[in-house]
């Protein structure tokens, strides 16, 4: 099996937000509409993300579709920090609260969806959520930032170095000849298998 095939699946990028004990959120690429009548969506969240357990307990969420005007800061803000050690909405003003009580992102996003979870399935590393959309609005006419667009236009180019390994997800550079097998990217938490030699 060639794992590179999976990089050719098309994805959008989204901020998933919940409000269990406090407002929190993370970046996901696994969000899609599956039926139109009624409007149902699915999303999958890594169990390592605090947002995952919070969504399991609250059952309410918003998904904000990131558009091509977003810069790397937005991804660092929601994707490369944990809600366990910071409050992601402290100092972040570009939000409104949907009717279900959850914040959505109003800047660098082109739509938002508020939803209620109806079913979940444990997939091992991730939880799959099936949900009804209760509210949806368009926020801008810009294009959705796809994962490919992120890779080509948003993620910073790696620093030029002779040796080292670069994280294919976020661009973090590991300075060293041998990358430990159990290495976890300190920025995006992806494993050593997502690194390539510079
Ligand atoms: Fe990374």
């Amino acid at each position: 099996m060639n794992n590179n095939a999976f990089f050719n699946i098309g994805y959008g990028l989204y901020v998933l937000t919940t409000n269990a004990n406090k407002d929190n959120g993370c970046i996901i690429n696994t969000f899609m509409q599956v039926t139109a009548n009624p409007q149902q969506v699915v999303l999958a969240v890594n169990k390592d993300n605090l947002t995952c357990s919070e969504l399991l307990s609250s059952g309410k969420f918003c998904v904000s579709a990131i558009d091509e005007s977003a810069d790397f800061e937005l991804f660092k803000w929601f994707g490369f920090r944990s809600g366990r050690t910071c409050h992601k909405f402290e100092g972040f003003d570009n939000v409104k609260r949907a009717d279900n009580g959850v914040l959505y992102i109003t800047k660098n996003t082109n739509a938002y969806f508020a939803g209620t979870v109806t079913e979940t399935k444990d997939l091992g590393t991730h939880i799959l959520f099936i949900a009804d959309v209760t509210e949806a609005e368009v926020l801008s006419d810009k294009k959705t930032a796809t994962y490919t667009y992120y890779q080509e236009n948003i993620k910073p180019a790696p620093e030029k170095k002779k040796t080292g390994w670069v994280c294919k997800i976020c661009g973090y550079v590991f300075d060293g000849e041998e990358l430990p097998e159990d290495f976890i990217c300190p920025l995006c938490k992806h494993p050593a298998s997502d690194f390539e030699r510079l």
Side-chain angles (χ1 to χ4, degrees), residues 22-42:
K22 63 173 183 180
D23 293 304
N24 191 34
C26 67
I27 305 269
I28 59 170
N29 63 351
T30 46
F31 172 70
M32 66 183 290
Q33 178 189 17
V34 285
T35 65
N37 190 18
Q39 291 283 11
Q40 291 182 104
V41 292
V42 294

Side-chain angles (χ1 to χ4, degrees), residues 11 15 29 36 67 77 79 81 87 130 142 158 169 172 183 186:
Y11 295 100
V15 183
N29 63 351
D67 72 31
W77 192 276
R81 312 189 294 159
H87 190 325
I130 302 173
K142 298 189 180 73
I169 309 300
Y172 172 82
F183 190 76

Side-chain angles (χ1 to χ4, degrees), residues 53-98:
S53 56
E54 289 178 336
L55 182 52
L56 277 171
S57 67
S58 75
K60 307 272 187 200
F61 65 90
C62 283
V63 168
S64 306
I66 298 172
D67 72 31
E68 290 183 353
S69 69
D71 61 18
F72 192 57
E73 287 305 308
L74 182 70
F75 292 89
K76 283 203 297 192
W77 192 276
F78 286 103
F80 303 155
R81 312 189 294 159
S82 172
R84 291 184 185 88
T85 52
C86 72
H87 190 325
K88 293 195 185 176
F89 287 94
E90 212 168 73
F92 192 90
D93 299 328
N94 305 311
V95 291
K96 280 187 184 161
R97 205 168 284 282

